[in-house]
Amino acid sequence: MGVADKRTVRLSTKGQVVLPKSIRQRRNWESGASLTIEETAEGVLLKEASLFTPTKLEDVLGMLNYAGPPKSIEDMDASVLAEAKRRNASD
């Protein structure tokens, strides 16, 4: 994005700020969008909120239960390809 779009806006009595339409459109922020706000040394940073909460690999390893023999990468690739073909065949 080129030059920063600087605007002056007013803080309402409820602590609300209206973001200019041109900025909302460039960011694809529609009504109801979730945003995060962070105070930095230079000011306030506003970013689109992540759809998912951050997780660590250790937090989700338990979801990968598999009791059979180890699978090779080739076996896994073949299974993914077979499933993709199955799904596309039903379209």
Side-chain angles (χ1 to χ4, degrees):
M1 192 175 297
V3 177
D5 189 356
K6 293 186 179 184
R7 306 276 179 102
T8 300
V9 296
R10 277 193 207 285
L11 188 65
S12 77
T13 57
K14 294 182 177 183
Q16 298 169 327
V17 173
V18 175
L19 299 175
K21 183 176 183 178
S22 60
I23 293 174
R24 294 190 321 262
Q25 286 177 330
R26 265 197 309 281
R27 296 278 175 181
N28 294 318
W29 290 347
E30 296 188 11
S31 178
S34 292
L35 307 172
T36 60
I37 187 165
E38 179 182 337
E39 188 171 5
T40 69
E42 295 155 11
V44 176
L45 176 63
L46 192 62
K47 297 191 301 188
E48 190 166 6
S50 174
L51 294 177
F52 305 99
T53 54
T55 57
K56 294 180 275 182
L57 185 58
E58 305 84 57
D59 296 337
V60 295
L61 282 178
M63 300 173 77
L64 304 175
N65 287 338
Y66 175 69
K71 299 285 185 185
S72 70
I73 296 294
E74 292 79 18
D75 290 340
M76 288 186 270
D77 286 344
S79 294
V80 169
L81 183 59
E83 178 63 13
K85 286 180 179 179
R86 185 192 68 78
R87 289 184 185 192
N88 286 329
S90 64
D91 286 345

